Amino acid sequence: MEDRYVVRFSSSERLAHWLQFVAFSALLVTGLFIYMPALQAFTVGRAGEASRVLHRISAVVFMIAPLIYLVGNPSAFFSSLRDAFSWSADDRAWLSKAVAYYTNGEVSDMPPQGKYNGGQKLNAVVQIVAFVLFVVTGLIMWFGKGSVSPGLFAFSVILHDLAVIAAVSLVMLHVYLVTIHPLTRESITAMFEGIVTREYAQEHHAKWLADVEGES
Amino acid sequence: MAVGMLLDLDKCTACRGCQAACKEWNDLPADSTRQTGTYQNPPDLSPTTLTLIEFQEKEVGGRLGWYFFNKRCVHCTQAACVDVCPTAALQHNALGFVSFDRDACNGCGYCAEFCPFQIPRMEMLDGFQGKAKASKCTFCQDRVTNGIVPACAKTCPTGAITFGDRDALVQTGKGRVAALQSRGKTNARLYGETELGGLRQMYVLPETASFYGLPENPQLPATLSLWQGGVRPLGYIAAGLTALGLAFNWLTARKLAVARATEKEE
């Protein structure tokens, strides 16, 4: 059994990720109520009150989740963070071939990847930047209403929305790849049991697999 | 009929009867304030003060004058607050003014932040929960829609506030401006006839707009069109294209699963 599987994510990484997922979903739904005029019915009365409070509770969970990651597994937190911002030629080459790969499945063409491939790194960078924007502009709108200048408030509203657009587009892609796409959907075990098959690691993250096996 | 009000600052004696009548009709409490050396009281509009007489002493042409300004929502035709309100608490009434439904307000604060005149005030009920209510002059919507004159216009003893058919008020206003100019008030103007599509509360200004703290040429804020005309459609386009792209990918990619399965069997 040990040979068939490779450990990918620790329990604190998975807990943080799922908390983030649940909070993000709740934030998105309650946020859409005031983004889309068609959903206006949910902004008034009891529903409006509930969605306003739920948005704030979810925001707190959203902010705490990365801290769980940091405290629960600091070495993975920092190495992943470093990974996300260090791009090799292989990562860039992988990204440029990604569309063809996901459409036609030409595996042999793809440069070997570390623990995170070019696409995952791109997603991580965008999500991290969006996270910072969400927190800063969200806190301004939450606690600065009426006291910050109108220009700053309007700017925060716009930045908050732009962060949503970037984050949601990539989350849609991310969810599609781990639940539906035939080449990658088996990797969702990494977020449930924390493991992927050795075969999967070899095909998708060859450099990472070599690192892991070199250590042991 | 499109209704309007004409605020003739030349006729205003700053008795503040409008302030008191507004509070009385709308059942708003007095604000607790401190003496700061001016008759202007309360110092600013607030969730419980929807109309306010501003006092300023200024020298004009070498003569010290005491100038009064009636500060309140001017009920724009191109109203930023109506555009941004996500709950439709702020709407254009059929009579033309901007109505406000306090029960529908969810306290987001967008109206206060995007108003070119910075009129709406937020009443913070619970900052932690984000519970708040906007507040602004409602044109006495409960009176006007029942055929009664707004409380401020009803009580004004000098005729500085008149209510009626807007077109007729424009004519009255123009006449008043001409009279002021013939008296040497060369800066006098009618404010609100065409500004932002036409304001429902127009001013006869004896001096320039900026003299009274009004924008000379009020515009919808640039951030508003960026947000509603740019960012919001961008969101629909981005989400739509992503969904479409993924759907197309699935059409070809699902064959990969079959191909792989047969590969393995062989």
Side-chain angles (χ1 to χ4, degrees), chain B residues 36-93:
Chain B
T36 56
T38 168
Y39 281 107
Q40 184 173 321
N41 187 49
D44 195 5
L45 293 178
S46 75
T48 50
T49 301
L50 310 181
T51 185
L52 174 77
I53 302 295
E54 287 186 340
F55 292 67
Q56 51 176 345
E57 282 178 79
K58 273 194 179 172
E59 235 181 70
V60 175
R63 282 184 58 192
L64 186 68
W66 209 9
Y67 294 87
F68 313 127
F69 176 68
N70 196 329
K71 188 175 189 178
R72 53 169 67 182
C73 169
V74 290
H75 300 265
C76 315
T77 299
Q78 288 166 22
C81 60
V82 174
D83 285 351
V84 297
C85 181
T87 67
L90 290 158
Q91 286 185 22
H92 278 115
N93 184 279

Coordinates of all heavy atoms in Angstrom, one line a residue, chain B residues 36-93:
Chain B
T36 N -21.0 76.2 19.5 CA -19.7 76.4 18.9 C -19.5 77.8 18.4 O -18.6 78.1 17.6 CB -19.5 75.4 17.8 OG1 -20.5 75.6 16.8 CG2 -19.4 74.0 18.2
G37 N -20.4 78.7 18.8 CA -20.3 80.1 18.4 C -21.0 80.4 17.1 O -20.7 81.4 16.5
T38 N -21.9 79.6 16.7 CA -22.7 79.9 15.5 C -24.2 79.5 15.7 O -24.5 78.7 16.5 CB -22.1 79.1 14.2 OG1 -23.1 79.2 13.2 CG2 -21.9 77.6 14.6
Y39 N -25.0 80.2 14.9 CA -26.4 79.8 15.0 C -26.7 78.5 14.3 O -27.8 78.0 14.4 CB -27.3 80.9 14.3 CG -27.5 82.1 15.2 CD1 -26.8 83.3 15.0 CD2 -28.4 82.1 16.3 CE1 -27.0 84.5 15.7 CE2 -28.6 83.2 17.1 CZ -27.9 84.4 16.8 OH -28.1 85.5 17.6
Q40 N -25.7 78.1 13.5 CA -25.9 76.8 12.7 C -26.0 75.7 13.7 O -25.1 75.3 14.4 CB -24.8 76.6 11.7 CG -25.0 75.4 10.9 CD -24.0 75.3 9.8 OE1 -23.6 76.3 9.2 NE2 -23.5 74.1 9.5
N41 N -27.2 75.1 13.8 CA -27.4 74.0 14.8 C -28.5 73.1 14.3 O -29.6 73.6 14.0 CB -27.7 74.6 16.1 CG -27.7 73.6 17.2 OD1 -26.8 72.7 17.3 ND2 -28.8 73.5 18.0
P42 N -28.3 71.8 14.3 CA -27.1 71.1 14.5 C -26.0 71.4 13.5 O -26.3 72.1 12.5 CB -27.5 69.6 14.3 CG -29.0 69.6 14.2 CD -29.4 71.0 13.9
P43 N -24.7 71.0 13.8 CA -23.6 71.5 12.9 C -23.7 70.9 11.5 O -23.2 71.6 10.6 CB -22.4 71.0 13.6 CG -22.9 70.0 14.6 CD -24.3 70.3 15.0
D44 N -24.4 69.8 11.3 CA -24.4 69.2 10.0 C -25.7 68.4 9.9 O -26.4 68.1 10.9 CB -23.2 68.3 9.8 CG -22.9 67.9 8.3 OD1 -23.7 68.5 7.5 OD2 -22.0 67.2 8.1
L45 N -26.0 67.9 8.6 CA -27.0 67.0 8.5 C -26.7 65.7 9.3 O -25.5 65.4 9.5 CB -27.2 66.6 7.0 CG -27.7 67.6 6.0 CD1 -27.7 67.1 4.6 CD2 -29.0 68.1 6.4
S46 N -27.7 65.0 9.7 CA -27.5 63.8 10.4 C -28.6 62.8 10.1 O -29.6 63.2 9.5 CB -27.4 64.1 11.9 OG -28.7 64.4 12.4
P47 N -28.6 61.6 10.6 CA -29.7 60.7 10.4 C -31.0 61.2 10.9 O -32.1 60.8 10.4 CB -29.3 59.4 11.1 CG -27.8 59.4 11.2 CD -27.4 60.9 11.3
T48 N -30.9 62.2 11.8 CA -32.2 62.7 12.4 C -32.4 64.2 12.0 O -33.3 64.8 12.4 CB -32.2 62.6 13.9 OG1 -31.0 63.1 14.4 CG2 -32.3 61.2 14.4
T49 N -31.5 64.7 11.2 CA -31.6 66.1 10.6 C -31.5 66.0 9.1 O -30.5 65.9 8.6 CB -30.6 67.0 11.2 OG1 -30.7 67.0 12.6 CG2 -30.8 68.5 10.7
L50 N -32.7 66.2 8.5 CA -32.8 65.9 7.0 C -32.7 67.2 6.2 O -32.5 67.2 5.0 CB -34.0 65.2 6.6 CG -34.3 63.9 7.5 CD1 -35.6 63.3 7.0 CD2 -33.2 63.0 7.4
T51 N -32.9 68.3 6.9 CA -32.7 69.6 6.3 C -32.1 70.6 7.3 O -32.3 70.5 8.5 CB -34.1 70.2 5.8 OG1 -33.8 71.4 5.1 CG2 -35.0 70.5 6.9
L52 N -31.2 71.4 6.8 CA -30.3 72.2 7.7 C -30.1 73.6 7.1 O -29.8 73.7 5.9 CB -29.0 71.5 8.0 CG -28.0 72.2 8.8 CD1 -28.3 72.2 10.3 CD2 -26.6 71.7 8.5
I53 N -30.2 74.6 7.9 CA -29.8 75.9 7.5 C -28.4 76.2 7.8 O -28.0 76.1 9.0 CB -30.7 77.1 8.1 CG1 -32.2 76.8 7.7 CG2 -30.2 78.4 7.6 CD1 -32.5 76.9 6.2
E54 N -27.5 76.4 6.8 CA -26.1 76.7 7.1 C -25.9 78.2 7.1 O -26.4 78.9 6.3 CB -25.2 76.1 6.0 CG -25.1 74.6 6.0 CD -24.1 74.0 5.0 OE1 -23.8 74.7 4.0 OE2 -23.7 72.9 5.2
F55 N -25.2 78.6 8.1 CA -24.9 80.1 8.3 C -23.4 80.3 7.9 O -22.5 79.6 8.4 CB -25.1 80.5 9.7 CG -26.5 80.4 10.2 CD1 -27.2 79.2 10.4 CD2 -27.2 81.6 10.6 CE1 -28.5 79.2 10.8 CE2 -28.5 81.6 11.1 CZ -29.1 80.3 11.2
Q56 N -23.2 81.3 7.1 CA -21.8 81.8 6.9 C -21.8 83.3 6.8 O -22.6 83.9 6.2 CB -21.2 81.1 5.8 CG -21.9 81.1 4.5 CD -21.1 80.5 3.3 OE1 -19.9 80.3 3.5 NE2 -21.7 80.2 2.2
E57 N -20.8 83.8 7.5 CA -20.5 85.3 7.4 C -19.4 85.4 6.4 O -18.3 84.8 6.5 CB -20.0 85.8 8.7 CG -21.1 86.1 9.7 CD -20.6 86.5 11.1 OE1 -20.3 87.7 11.2 OE2 -20.5 85.7 12.0
K58 N -19.6 86.2 5.3 CA -18.6 86.4 4.3 C -18.6 87.8 3.8 O -19.7 88.5 3.8 CB -18.9 85.4 3.1 CG -18.3 84.1 3.3 CD -18.3 83.3 2.0 CE -17.7 81.9 2.1 NZ -17.9 81.1 0.9
E59 N -17.4 88.3 3.4 CA -17.3 89.6 2.8 C -17.5 89.5 1.3 O -16.8 88.7 0.6 CB -16.0 90.2 3.1 CG -16.0 91.5 3.8 CD -14.7 92.1 4.1 OE1 -14.0 92.5 3.1 OE2 -14.3 92.1 5.2
V60 N -18.5 90.2 0.8 CA -18.7 90.2 -0.7 C -18.7 91.6 -1.1 O -19.5 92.4 -0.7 CB -20.0 89.5 -1.1 CG1 -20.3 89.6 -2.6 CG2 -20.0 88.0 -0.7
G61 N -17.8 92.0 -2.0 CA -17.7 93.3 -2.6 C -17.4 94.3 -1.4 O -18.0 95.4 -1.4
G62 N -16.6 93.9 -0.5 CA -16.2 94.8 0.6 C -17.3 95.0 1.7 O -17.1 95.7 2.7
R63 N -18.4 94.2 1.5 CA -19.5 94.3 2.6 C -19.6 93.0 3.2 O -19.7 91.9 2.6 CB -20.8 94.7 1.9 CG -20.9 96.2 1.6 CD -22.3 96.5 1.1 NE -23.3 96.2 2.0 CZ -24.6 96.1 1.6 NH1 -25.0 96.4 0.4 NH2 -25.5 95.8 2.5
L64 N -19.6 93.0 4.6 CA -19.8 91.8 5.3 C -21.3 91.4 5.2 O -22.2 92.2 5.4 CB -19.4 92.0 6.8 CG -19.5 90.7 7.6 CD1 -18.4 89.7 7.2 CD2 -19.3 91.0 9.1
G65 N -21.5 90.1 4.8 CA -22.9 89.6 4.7 C -23.1 88.3 5.5 O -22.2 87.6 5.8
W66 N -24.4 88.1 5.8 CA -24.7 86.9 6.5 C -25.5 86.0 5.5 O -26.6 86.4 5.0 CB -25.6 87.2 7.7 CG -25.4 86.2 8.8 CD1 -24.5 85.2 9.0 CD2 -26.2 86.2 10.0 NE1 -24.7 84.5 10.1 CE2 -25.7 85.1 10.8 CE3 -27.3 86.9 10.5 CZ2 -26.3 84.8 12.0 CZ3 -27.9 86.6 11.7 CH2 -27.4 85.5 12.5
Y67 N -25.0 84.9 5.1 CA -25.5 84.1 4.1 C -26.1 82.8 4.6 O -25.5 82.1 5.4 CB -24.5 83.8 3.0 CG -24.1 85.1 2.3 CD1 -23.1 85.9 2.8 CD2 -24.8 85.6 1.1 CE1 -22.7 87.1 2.2 CE2 -24.4 86.7 0.5 CZ -23.4 87.5 1.0 OH -23.1 88.7 0.4
F68 N -27.3 82.4 4.1 CA -27.9 81.2 4.6 C -28.1 80.3 3.4 O -28.4 80.7 2.3 CB -29.3 81.6 5.1 CG -29.3 82.7 6.1 CD1 -30.2 83.8 5.9 CD2 -28.4 82.7 7.2 CE1 -30.1 84.9 6.8 CE2 -28.4 83.8 8.0 CZ -29.2 84.9 7.9
F69 N -27.9 79.0 3.7 CA -28.0 78.0 2.7 C -28.9 76.8 3.2 O -28.6 76.4 4.4 CB -26.7 77.5 2.3 CG -26.7 76.3 1.3 CD1 -27.2 76.6 0.0 CD2 -26.4 75.0 1.6 CE1 -27.3 75.5 -0.9 CE2 -26.5 74.0 0.7 CZ -26.9 74.2 -0.6
N70 N -29.8 76.4 2.5 CA -30.7 75.3 2.9 C -30.2 74.0 2.3 O -30.3 73.7 1.2 CB -32.1 75.6 2.4 CG -33.2 74.7 3.0 OD1 -32.9 73.6 3.5 ND2 -34.4 75.2 3.2
K71 N -29.5 73.2 3.2 CA -28.8 72.0 2.8 C -29.8 70.8 3.0 O -30.3 70.6 4.1 CB -27.6 71.8 3.6 CG -26.7 70.7 3.1 CD -25.4 70.6 3.9 CE -24.4 69.6 3.3 NZ -23.2 69.6 4.1
R72 N -29.9 70.0 1.9 CA -30.8 68.9 1.9 C -30.6 68.1 0.6 O -29.9 68.5 -0.3 CB -32.3 69.3 2.0 CG -32.6 70.3 0.9 CD -34.0 70.6 0.8 NE -34.5 71.3 2.0 CZ -35.8 71.7 2.2 NH1 -36.7 71.4 1.2 NH2 -36.2 72.3 3.2
C73 N -31.3 66.9 0.5 CA -31.3 66.2 -0.7 C -32.0 67.0 -1.8 O -33.0 67.5 -1.5 CB -32.0 64.8 -0.5 SG -32.3 64.0 -2.1
V74 N -31.4 67.1 -3.0 CA -31.9 67.9 -4.0 C -32.7 67.0 -5.1 O -33.3 67.6 -6.0 CB -30.9 68.7 -4.8 CG1 -30.4 69.8 -3.9 CG2 -29.7 67.8 -5.3
H75 N -32.8 65.7 -4.8 CA -33.6 64.8 -5.7 C -33.3 64.9 -7.2 O -34.1 65.5 -8.0 CB -35.1 65.1 -5.4 CG -35.5 64.9 -4.0 ND1 -36.1 63.7 -3.6 CD2 -35.4 65.7 -2.9 CE1 -36.3 63.8 -2.3 NE2 -35.9 65.0 -1.8
C76 N -32.1 64.4 -7.5 CA -31.6 64.4 -8.9 C -32.5 63.6 -9.8 O -33.0 62.6 -9.4 CB -30.2 63.9 -9.0 SG -29.1 64.5 -7.7
T77 N -32.5 63.9 -11.1 CA -33.1 63.0 -12.1 C -32.2 61.9 -12.4 O -32.5 60.8 -12.5 CB -33.5 63.8 -13.3 OG1 -34.5 64.8 -12.9 CG2 -34.2 62.9 -14.4
Q78 N -30.9 62.3 -12.6 CA -29.8 61.3 -12.8 C -29.3 61.1 -11.4 O -28.3 61.7 -11.0 CB -28.7 61.7 -13.7 CG -29.1 61.8 -15.2 CD -28.0 62.6 -15.9 OE1 -26.9 62.8 -15.5 NE2 -28.4 63.1 -17.1
A79 N -29.9 60.2 -10.6 CA -29.5 60.1 -9.2 C -28.6 58.9 -9.0 O -28.9 57.7 -9.2 CB -30.8 59.9 -8.4
A80 N -27.3 59.2 -8.5 CA -26.3 58.2 -8.3 C -26.9 57.2 -7.2 O -26.7 56.0 -7.3 CB -25.1 58.9 -7.8
C81 N -27.6 57.7 -6.2 CA -28.1 56.9 -5.1 C -29.0 55.8 -5.6 O -29.0 54.7 -5.2 CB -28.7 57.7 -4.0 SG -30.1 58.7 -4.5
V82 N -29.9 56.2 -6.6 CA -30.9 55.3 -7.1 C -30.1 54.2 -7.9 O -30.5 53.0 -7.9 CB -31.9 56.0 -8.0 CG1 -32.9 55.0 -8.7 CG2 -32.7 56.9 -7.1
D83 N -29.1 54.6 -8.7 CA -28.3 53.7 -9.5 C -27.6 52.6 -8.6 O -27.5 51.5 -9.0 CB -27.3 54.4 -10.3 CG -27.9 55.2 -11.5 OD1 -29.1 55.0 -11.7 OD2 -27.1 56.0 -12.1
V84 N -27.1 53.1 -7.5 CA -26.2 52.1 -6.7 C -27.0 51.3 -5.7 O -26.5 50.3 -5.2 CB -25.1 52.9 -6.0 CG1 -24.1 53.5 -7.0 CG2 -25.6 53.9 -5.0
C85 N -28.2 51.8 -5.3 CA -29.0 51.1 -4.3 C -29.3 49.7 -4.6 O -30.0 49.4 -5.6 CB -30.2 51.9 -3.9 SG -31.2 51.1 -2.6
P86 N -28.7 48.7 -3.9 CA -28.9 47.3 -4.3 C -30.3 46.8 -3.9 O -30.7 45.7 -4.3 CB -27.8 46.5 -3.6 CG -27.5 47.4 -2.4 CD -27.8 48.8 -2.8
T87 N -31.0 47.5 -3.0 CA -32.3 47.0 -2.5 C -33.5 47.7 -3.0 O -34.6 47.4 -2.7 CB -32.3 47.1 -0.9 OG1 -32.4 48.5 -0.6 CG2 -31.1 46.5 -0.3
A88 N -33.2 48.7 -3.9 CA -34.3 49.5 -4.4 C -35.0 50.3 -3.3 O -36.2 50.6 -3.5 CB -35.3 48.8 -5.3
A89 N -34.3 50.5 -2.2 CA -34.9 51.3 -1.1 C -35.1 52.8 -1.6 O -35.9 53.5 -1.2 CB -34.1 51.3 0.1
L90 N -34.1 53.2 -2.5 CA -34.2 54.5 -3.1 C -34.7 54.3 -4.5 O -34.1 53.5 -5.3 CB -32.7 55.1 -3.1 CG -32.2 55.5 -1.8 CD1 -30.7 55.6 -1.8 CD2 -32.8 56.8 -1.3
Q91 N -35.7 55.0 -4.9 CA -36.3 54.9 -6.2 C -36.8 56.3 -6.6 O -37.1 57.2 -5.8 CB -37.5 54.0 -6.1 CG -37.2 52.5 -6.0 CD -38.4 51.6 -6.1 OE1 -39.4 52.0 -6.6 NE2 -38.2 50.4 -5.6
H92 N -37.1 56.4 -8.0 CA -37.7 57.6 -8.5 C -39.2 57.4 -8.3 O -39.8 56.4 -8.9 CB -37.3 57.8 -9.9 CG -36.0 58.5 -10.1 ND1 -34.9 57.9 -10.7 CD2 -35.6 59.7 -9.7 CE1 -33.9 58.8 -10.7 NE2 -34.3 59.9 -10.1
N93 N -39.8 58.3 -7.6 CA -41.3 58.2 -7.5 C -41.9 58.7 -8.9 O -41.2 59.5 -9.6 CB -41.8 59.1 -6.4 CG -43.3 59.1 -6.2 OD1 -44.0 59.7 -6.9 ND2 -43.7 58.3 -5.2

